[in-house]
């Protein structure tokens, strides 16, 4: 509580009371010197401001922590002392009494004290309650800040756990694919191992970074799509379309890979014909929109051969979106047509503070 602000507030309040007093006197037909009236009120409240700030300076913490007994035994005597001291200083500052009154200093002080003792006690206790209110507000804000910080830390821990869940899940599925490829095409399996090594290197270099640029995410996805293309021997036509203006947009790391993996595992791998996978990233009303669609057997559980759901990946993506963006994100998965499944995601559009050089290479 800076003294200039505290005392200045008292002086401003005194000026308002002085102006109100002058308006009242003027309304009733009395001629009162406005400058003198304002000076009297502002000086009186300046004295109050200084004395109350000194009380805050010396006893602020004690007042904030005090119980009822301490306030009654300490502050009631203090209120009498402060009231008396204010009137003593006031009598020194304004020695002139109304015409016809000739009083000594002590008589003037007692005269003022008699007329304002109730007001003085009221001002003092209002200031004490102000001190208590400031303390309650500060403690409330501190608790609110601590709760918010704990909430953020919890969300970050949950996101880290989800990321850690993705890595072994992704690695297991990819190694399983390579194992299958080893039986039919050893050179292709060897190349897939090299591609997997590159993907793991990128994942390790990112560490625990949660939000990355869209260009970095697409670099990872291009390698992953190349690995899947080799696994399916080109039977899946991959179409990728990314708005170049969103090159530096921030997205959760490994956001697309679980969705594409789900499209392959539960849709494209079930086909006995060539399939299509599309990945589109664009802007929609100030939000980033991601659409991933694939041909396949649809979402009807009765049509699934193994009765499996969408697995860990989809639940992971939903949870991370919720933790990152709360209610500002949306996730939907639906059948967009005969034997076509589409996932649509939207979330707030944010850009990286450190733009990276523009790359080319996104396309069908």
């Amino acid at each position: 509580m800076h003294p200039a602000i505290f005392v200045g507030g008292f002086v401003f309040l005194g000026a308002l009371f002085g102006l109100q007093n002058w308006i009242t006197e003027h309304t009733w037909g009395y001629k009162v010197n406005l400058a003198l009236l304002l000076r009297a009120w502002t000086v009186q409240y300046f004295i109050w401001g200084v004395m109350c700030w000194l009380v805050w300076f010396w006893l602020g913490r004690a007042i904030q922590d005090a119980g009822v007994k301490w306030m009654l035994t300490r502050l009631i005597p203090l209120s009498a002392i402060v009231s008396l001291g204010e009137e003593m200083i006031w009598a020194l500052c304004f020695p002139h009494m109304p015409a016809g009154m000739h009083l000594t200093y002590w008589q003037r002080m007692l005269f003022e004290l008699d007329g304002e003792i109730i007001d003085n006690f009221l001002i003092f206790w209002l200031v004490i309650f102000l001190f208590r209110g400031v303390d309650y507000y500060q403690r409330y804000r501190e608790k609110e800040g601590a709760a918010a910080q704990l909430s953020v830390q919890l969300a970050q821990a949950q996101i880290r756990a989800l990321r850690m869940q993705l890595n072994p899940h992704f690695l297991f599925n990819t190694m399983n694919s390579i194992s299958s490829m080893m039986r039919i095409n050893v050179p292709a399996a060897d190349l897939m191992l090299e591609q997997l090594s590159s993907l793991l290197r990128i994942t390790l270099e990112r560490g625990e970074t949660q939000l990355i640029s869209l260009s970095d995410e697409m670099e990872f996805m291009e390698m992953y799509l190349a690995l899947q293309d080799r696994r399916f021997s080109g039977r899946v036509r991959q179409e990728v379309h990314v708005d170049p203006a969103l090159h530096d947009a921030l997205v959760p790391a490994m956001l697309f890979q679980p969705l594409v993996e789900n499209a392959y595992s539960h849709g494209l791998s079930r086909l006995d014909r060539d399939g299509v996978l599309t990945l589109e990233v664009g802007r929609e009303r100030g939000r980033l929109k991601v659409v991933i669609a694939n041909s396949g057997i649809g979402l009807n559980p009765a049509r699934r051969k193994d009765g499996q759901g969408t697995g860990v990946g989809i639940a992971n993506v939903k949870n991370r979106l919720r933790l990152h963006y709360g209610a500002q994100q949306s996730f939907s998965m639906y059948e967009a047509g005969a034997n076509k499944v589409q996932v649509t995601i939207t979330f707030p559009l944010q850009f990286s503070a450190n733009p990276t050089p523009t790359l080319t290479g996104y396309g069908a």
Side-chain angles (χ1 to χ4, degrees), residues 265-277:
S265 299
H266 300 287
L268 295 165
S269 64
R270 306 279 198 277
L271 291 175
D272 53 7
R273 62 186 183 280
D274 292 351
V276 178
L277 173 78

Side-chain angles (χ1 to χ4, degrees), residues 124-338:
F124 180 86
W125 283 100
L126 283 175
V127 172
I128 294 301
F129 287 125
L130 172 64
F131 293 161
R132 299 279 289 191
V134 168
D135 177 56
Y136 287 137
Y137 176 73
Q138 289 177 338
R139 293 185 183 185
Y140 169 77
R141 289 297 301 271
E142 289 173 359
K143 290 180 180 178
E144 193 177 53
Q149 186 176 5
L150 286 174
S151 178
V152 170
Q153 291 175 348
L154 176 61
Q156 290 175 344
Q158 290 174 325
I159 292 172
R160 283 195 297 269
L162 290 169
R163 281 285 308 280
M164 290 174 64
Q165 180 189 60
L166 271 185
N167 290 336
H169 182 259
F170 156 70
L171 180 61
F172 172 80
N173 288 342
T174 306
M175 292 296 292
N176 194 36
S177 299
I178 294 173
S179 176
S180 300
M181 183 66 69
M182 288 288 291
R183 297 185 180 91
I184 56 176
N185 191 336
V186 174
D190 184 63
L191 184 57
M192 288 178 67
L193 277 174
E194 292 181 9
Q195 292 172 331
L196 175 60
S197 176
S198 298
L199 289 174
L200 292 177
R201 176 181 53 79
I202 292 175
T203 303
L204 292 173
E205 286 176 353
R206 289 177 180 172
E208 294 187 355
T209 303
Q210 303 300 338
L211 294 176
I212 63 174
S213 68
L214 180 59
S215 60
D216 288 342
E217 179 71 0
M218 290 309 303
E219 178 186 2
F220 180 88
M221 283 308 301
E222 285 181 345
M223 293 185 182
Y224 181 75
L225 288 171
L227 188 150
Q228 291 287 24
D229 184 59
R230 185 163 299 280
R231 174 191 171 194
F232 283 85
S233 303
R235 290 191 297 108
V236 177
R237 188 172 80 250
Q238 299 174 347
E239 298 178 359
V240 181
H241 305 283
V242 178
D243 185 347
L246 302 178
H247 178 77
D248 292 310
L250 292 175
V251 299
M254 287 190 76
L255 177 68
F256 302 155
Q257 184 274 329
L259 302 175
V260 172
E261 180 179 299
N262 185 77
Y264 274 99
S265 299
H266 300 287
L268 295 165
S269 64
R270 306 279 198 277
L271 291 175
D272 53 7
R273 62 186 183 280
D274 292 351
V276 178
L277 173 78
T278 61
L279 169 59
E280 299 179 7
V281 184
R283 184 199 307 254
E284 184 179 83
R285 295 191 294 273
R287 297 168 64 81
L288 192 140
K289 181 179 181 181
V290 181
V291 178
I292 297 176
N294 65 276
S295 53
I297 63 174
L299 297 174
N300 189 347
R303 298 164 62 186
R304 294 186 181 274
K305 297 178 181 179
D306 55 3
Q308 293 180 356
T310 54
V312 174
I314 297 298
N316 190 291
V317 169
K318 287 181 178 179
N319 286 331
R320 287 196 294 143
L321 285 172
R322 176 180 54 81
L323 290 169
H324 276 299
Y325 305 109
Q328 295 182 297
Q329 52 81 31
S330 67
F331 180 101
S332 61
M333 175 183 285
Y334 53 93
E335 293 191 15

